[in-house]
Amino acid sequence: MDYNPFIFGKIVEGPQFADRVDEKEELIRALSSGENVILYSPRRFGKSSLAAVVSNELKEKGIPVGNIDMEYISTKRALAERVVSTTHEAFHPKRKDFMDKLKDLKDHLPSIKVKPFEDLPMSIEFDAPSVDEQKALEKAVQLPEIYGRKRKMVLVIDEFPFVVQNIGGNILYLLRGIMQTQKNVSYLFLGSSRSMMRDIFDTKTSPFYKFGKKMYLDVIPHDDFAQFIKEKFRDPTISDESVELILDATGCHPYYTQQLCHEIWDSLKEKETVTKELFDEAMDRVLTREKAVYLEILDSLPGTQMRMLKSIAEGWENLYSKDSLMVLNMSSGTAQKAVKALIKKDLVSKKNGDLELEDPFFEIFVKRNVL
Ligand SMILES: Nc1ncnc2c1ncn2[C@@H]1O[C@H](COP(=O)(O)OP(=O)(O)OP(=O)(O)O)[C@@H](O)[C@H]1O
Ligand SMILES: [Mg+2]
């Protein structure tokens, strides 16, 4: 049998990437016309993958694109090095060119001794310990604008909220101060923690308040995802009913759909067709594997939040009605506080006015196990 065609937990591109046609178009249009964009979605909806696909298409159009992941950048100096390397590489992606054009960099950063990594020639570090971190970072963040005079560039910054968590201090003010005046760079900001993204981009007192156009990523449309699954399950095959079972369980969530399909595929024998029984077994295996994580989350919740989580998982119509509050055994104020806390923890989100659990498998687990 062929290799498992369902991938989850890493960036997907090419044949592993379904749909997102409109979102792709909108992002490409905004970024190539100089706008900054903030891309929001619940966890694991495919932000990083969409950014990768968009980056490739922009590069094909001749636009220099750099991608910085903030998650493991813990100092100003490391951030400065990353910005410089990424920008230089966006304009000079070929190794020889990258090395030959280092002079351009030194014109802008004369006081900072730049040396390319020996084993990783596409990266750069500053000569320690003479470098003043703060100055180096300021200079580094100006570089995309200076290079951008030749050709406007796009910088994708993934896991942006980590910049506050890892570096802290005045970092947002420093970045905003430089970035807001730039005309030749479009920034695309992403982040997996929605509450932190909201703190940075939607809070009036934050330096990044309203820094760009907001875009929201939804789940993948049902029919497109069904088509995607059927194409991948050509041999072994899958019936329309089984596709429905899968999409019904996952709510078309990109990550969990791929995870469940991956699990089902692994259990199939050659020429076998996906049945309800195989689907149930795969679902049970996934829930068993996630059990420890789910229990840990439940253990951390106070009783009010746990009860609220359960009623949201069950899809109660009106959480704040007199009857609901009586069953929940809480006042309306307590109920609202519990909902707010669950949203802040990224466990629950609002979709078309209704609350739902972000992780569809956790929802099934809560329904089955929380009494
Ligand atoms: N367009 C897509 N088509 C099919 N599967 C997708 C698509 N986008 C995402 N996925 C699935 O979702 C998983 C997570 O994608 P990705 O890492 O891009 O999401 P993310 O929103 O950046 O996640 P996080 O919130 O953790 O940063 C992928 O590994 C893949 O299984
Ligand atoms: Mg991501």
Side-chain angles (χ1 to χ4, degrees):
M1 220 158 75
D2 282 345
Y3 71 98
N4 195 321
F6 296 101
I7 309 241
F8 63 100
K10 48 182 155 184
I11 283 177
V12 288
E13 294 174 80
Q16 260 78 43
F17 185 85
D19 193 59
R20 300 289 192 220
V21 180
D22 296 343
E23 294 90 339
K24 225 163 58 180
E25 207 173 288
E26 194 179 343
L27 268 173
I28 289 173
R29 196 204 51 70
L31 293 170
S32 48
S33 63
E35 285 181 81
N36 296 325
V37 182
I38 303 148
L39 185 60
Y40 293 83
S41 84
R43 292 222 60 184
R44 299 165 165 178
F45 261 40
K47 296 174 291 293
S48 302
S49 299
L50 177 61
V53 169
V54 165
S55 299
N56 287 337
E57 295 201 11
L58 287 169
K59 283 181 199 165
E60 275 166 25
K61 287 164 76 134
I63 298 174
V65 184
N67 190 314
I68 298 175
D69 184 340
M70 290 288 190
E71 187 164 0
Y72 301 111
I73 296 178
S74 58
T75 62
K76 284 184 180 160
R77 177 194 163 102
L79 177 56
E81 289 173 346
R82 193 76 183 86
V83 172
V84 169
S85 298
T86 304
T87 304
H88 195 66
E89 190 180 335
F91 281 84
H92 309 294
K94 294 214 175 81
R95 180 178 166 154
K96 183 170 180 310
D97 208 25
F98 184 94
M99 302 304 245
D100 289 350
K101 295 285 167 57
L102 281 174
K103 195 188 142 314
D104 293 355
L105 259 185
K106 293 193 179 131
D107 286 347
H108 176 61
L109 303 164
S111 58
I112 294 160
K113 285 214 185 92
V114 170
K115 49 179 188 183
F117 281 1
E118 274 161 32
D119 50 344
L120 282 172
M122 308 307 253
S123 284
I124 280 166
E125 61 183 10
F126 296 146
D127 204 12
S130 59
V131 169
D132 172 343
E133 282 206 311
Q134 178 88 7
K135 275 220 178 74
L137 183 56
E138 284 168 10
K139 281 271 187 191
V141 182
Q142 285 158 3
L143 190 69
E145 176 72 1
I146 290 167
Y147 273 25
R149 286 181 199 144
K150 284 179 263 175
R151 258 181 302 153
K152 293 192 175 180
M153 79 169 299
V154 171
L155 262 183
V156 179
I157 308 196
D158 205 345
E159 298 297 355
F160 186 60
F162 275 96
V163 83
V164 183
Q165 211 164 302
N166 294 351
I167 302 177
N170 61 354
I171 188 72
L172 285 183
Y173 287 92
L174 185 153
L175 295 178
R176 198 272 314 258
I178 300 170
M179 287 176 174
Q180 72 177 354
T181 61
Q182 298 183 330
K183 301 267 180 299
N184 303 321
V185 197
S186 291
Y187 291 93
L188 170 60
F189 296 98
L190 335 167
S192 53
S193 160
R194 274 203 302 166
S195 55
M196 284 168 72
M197 286 290 280
R198 280 194 298 264
D199 285 349
I200 294 175
F201 293 105
D202 299 340
T203 310
K204 277 195 183 133
T205 48
S206 162
F208 274 86
Y209 180 58
K210 292 203 169 157
F211 196 75
K213 171 195 168 103
K214 290 185 200 177
M215 270 184 63
Y216 297 88
L217 211 53
D218 204 341
V219 292
I220 292 174
H222 175 280
D223 294 356
D224 297 325
F225 223 168
Q227 187 65 27
F228 175 87
I229 295 169
K230 272 195 278 191
E231 268 168 28
K232 303 248 172 288
F233 270 116
R234 225 169 309 153
D235 174 26
T237 53
I238 190 162
S239 64
D240 287 347
E241 292 76 38
S242 298
V243 173
E244 283 316 307
L245 282 176
I246 293 168
L247 291 177
D248 197 43
T250 64
C252 297
H253 190 303
Y255 175 96
Y256 296 103
T257 306
Q258 291 252 25
Q259 186 187 14
L260 190 53
C261 289
H262 187 101
E263 190 71 36
I264 294 172
W265 179 283
D266 267 352
S267 68
L268 283 171
K269 300 188 187 74
E270 206 139 349
K271 306 277 179 226
E272 203 176 10
T273 300
V274 181
T275 57
K276 164 114 177 47
E277 204 183 353
L278 283 177
F279 162 84
D280 285 338
E281 284 168 12
M283 193 76 235
D284 285 344
R285 280 198 304 278
V286 171
L287 292 180
T288 307
R289 211 171 309 127
E290 301 295 324
K291 189 173 169 183
V293 176
Y294 291 158
L295 288 177
E296 201 174 315
I297 298 171
L298 290 174
D299 280 349
S300 72
L301 297 179
T304 48
Q305 289 174 30
M306 175 118 78
R307 295 207 292 285
M308 187 51 86
L309 192 72
K310 162 98 170 156
S311 48
I312 295 170
E314 287 176 348
W316 289 16
E317 289 269 314
N318 190 348
L319 287 168
Y320 306 120
S321 73
K322 226 167 143 195
D323 289 349
S324 302
L325 291 172
M326 203 150 81
V327 180
L328 282 166
N329 192 20
M330 358 175 158
S331 68
S332 143
T334 310
Q336 284 173 23
K337 240 198 218 152
V339 168
K340 232 175 155 181
L342 292 170
I343 292 177
K344 181 122 185 105
K345 290 175 187 169
D346 286 332
L347 292 174
V348 160
S349 59
K350 220 179 234 169
K351 196 174 168 199
N352 306 324
D354 291 328
L355 291 167
E356 62 175 28
L357 266 63
E358 293 214 345
D359 174 345
F361 296 164
F362 189 38
E363 183 177 302
I364 296 171
F365 186 87
V366 168
K367 278 202 271 194
R368 285 189 192 171
N369 296 286
V370 178
L371 301 174

